[in-house]
Amino acid sequence: MSPAEAALLAAQDVTRLPAMPAPLARLMLRHAQEAAERRFAQAALAMAEAVEMIAILADGMAPEALAPARAWALARIEQHGAVALPPHLPRLLLQGLGDTVPGPGTALGRAWARQAFREEVAAAGLARVPLLPLGLNCLPWNLPARWGFRSAPNAMEAFNPFALASHELPTVLAALEEGWAGYAPEDGIRAIAAPGGARIPLRADGGAVWNHHAGAPWDEAGFAALRLDLAMLARRFERLAAARLPLRVALLATERAAPDA
């Protein structure tokens, strides 16, 4: 297995930052933190700086030594769908992993195929059409970005409660059919401890687990901050759904693993 192939496969593990020069590692960690806090514009800026830093490091480092950093950066771009990042940035990362495009049976070949698709989407202007995520978990938010469908600076207008929790289907249907009043009831939320120690809020009936709202201050004062944040996100959903403009909906109603390509 080539160093590039091994690096791409290892980069799918989001819990292990590969060895890389300290300034670059700090930048990557900053990107991950900003993405986790939903500051995607700042995260995009951090990633653009990281790509530039990798290009500078490439002048004095062997390609195989820099492959883990390139692969990690590429995987994070695809994972978080950094808003407003032009498609030439992931291309620069891929070119450092290998200009020769292998077959679809390799991680590098699949990455190049996704890149080609992203560039076609950008050239056709499809990323400028708002895309509303709708489904049981965060995949309808993440997967379209992986394929280049969310790059407009105003993309955060489509960010809504369905992108930030693991849902049971009846919960999603109830919000769509009956409104949001019963989505996060004041007396129907509790919290459980995650393996890392952070407390994760969820509906008492299990209909929604808000795993992106882990820890304080979300569970303070009767989950007041959580309920306020969800109300704001629900308003975004309703506003975009009611807008008279071209709109795509990313629908995913399955709990099975997402396909790679």
Side-chain angles (χ1 to χ4, degrees), residues 154-181:
N154 63 349
M156 294 306 295
E157 280 298 304
F159 204 55
N160 66 73
F162 297 130
L164 282 172
S166 175
H167 297 91
E168 296 292 335
L169 184 58
T171 302
V172 173
L173 295 178
L176 294 175
E177 295 173 354
E178 303 167 13
W180 296 94

Side-chain angles (χ1 to χ4, degrees), residues 31-43:
H31 168 269
Q33 182 64 32
E34 288 169 343
E37 294 177 358
R38 308 200 320 249
R39 292 182 291 154
F40 289 102
Q42 290 92 327

